[in-house]
Amino acid sequence: MLDIKRFVVNPFQENCYVVSDATGEAVVIDCGAYYPEERNALTDYIRQKKLAPRHLLATHAHIDHNFGNDTMLAAFGLKPEVCVADAQLMATLAEQAEALCGIRLGYDLPAPSRLLTDGDTISFGQHALQVVATPGHSPGSVFFTCAEEGVAFSGDTLFCGSIGRTDFWQGSYGDIVSSLARIKELLPADTAILPGHGPQTTMARELSSNPYMR
């Protein structure tokens, strides 16, 4: 069984997840922790639970999902893993921070240690996450899914009642519509959806009430 801890971080109220199992191994998904207290809360939780983080995963390469990647490198030796289609975007995080947020980082963010592709497997402990390409919000947006546990981390592709914006660099409304159609076919209705912003939902709820999923 997976233990999923959510941290709501940074000025954009982004959801960062620490996902672990009974072995104590873990993955960190979308480390957007920006303020010192957010970074400390995240690392304190991991240490207090005696977890061993094995992967730092990014659902996509926007700055609000990656502010804290340097902390994961310093504390646990982890560099981000992101879809290859977002590799170019990942190289612009500092520029994104200034252009989109008016923030000068003042620190370096690590380059990815692994470029992911559709169908890749992320293994930790007794579990594995599958990479599902869902372009649209960004070229390399992905879901991380665990069919065994019935959960999917949707990043900014699918929210409770809505979907991610497509007016950012290389965003595409046509692509996100195609991605949502794929997800509808792939994920059972009882799948829990853990998005990059906002509350948890389910595929059943989104299929019945999200206008973009009809």
Side-chain angles (χ1 to χ4, degrees):
M1 182 175 181
L2 291 177
D3 184 6
I4 302 172
K5 174 69 172 178
R6 181 178 72 144
F7 295 83
V8 181
V9 296
N10 74 45
F12 299 93
Q13 297 292 281
E14 184 264 334
N15 294 330
C16 171
Y17 298 97
V18 179
V19 185
S20 59
D21 68 13
T23 69
E25 292 195 357
V27 298
V28 178
I29 300 176
D30 286 350
C31 186
Y34 175 67
Y35 298 108
E37 58 268 27
E38 296 171 346
R39 295 166 182 259
N40 291 337
L42 181 58
T43 55
D44 287 350
Y45 171 81
I46 291 170
R47 288 171 173 144
Q48 288 168 8
K49 295 275 288 185
K50 296 183 169 57
L51 301 180
R54 299 305 186 202
H55 300 274
L56 171 59
L57 305 177
T59 59
H60 62 291
H62 286 154
I63 183 60
D64 56 322
H65 292 251
N66 294 278
F67 271 122
N69 290 351
D70 60 314
T71 289
M72 291 297 102
L73 177 60
F76 305 110
L78 296 178
K79 295 182 179 181
E81 301 174 36
V82 67
C83 181
V84 62
D86 264 9
Q88 184 178 355
L89 191 60
M90 201 72 164
T92 69
L93 292 175
E95 290 84 352
Q96 289 182 49
E98 191 159 357
L100 300 176
C101 317
I103 294 173
R104 291 193 176 184
L105 290 184
Y107 56 88
D108 294 327
L109 290 171
S113 63
R114 178 183 176 186
L115 295 177
L116 305 170
T117 58
D118 186 53
D120 279 353
T121 297
I122 310 294
S123 297
F124 66 102
Q126 299 169 338
H127 289 81
L129 300 176
Q130 300 298 318
V131 178
V132 180
T134 57
H137 179 66
S138 72
S141 288
V142 301
F143 270 46
F144 295 112
T145 69
C146 182
E148 176 187 359
E149 299 287 344
V151 299
F153 299 89
S154 61
D156 287 3
T157 298
L158 178 61
F159 300 132
C160 180
S162 190
I163 61 173
R165 293 172 58 175
T166 59
D167 57 340
F168 293 125
W169 180 81
Q170 288 195 357
S172 167
Y173 183 76
D175 284 350
I176 205 169
V177 168
S178 296
S179 294
L180 294 170
R182 182 186 186 197
I183 289 300
K184 286 166 63 174
E185 295 295 323
L186 183 66
L187 298 182
D190 61 354
T191 302
I193 302 296
L194 288 81
H197 303 267
Q200 180 174 324
T201 184
T202 64
M203 279 298 293
R205 177 175 178 175
E206 299 315 300
L207 291 169
S208 67
S209 63
N210 189 327
Y212 298 98
M213 295 290 283
R214 294 174 183 168

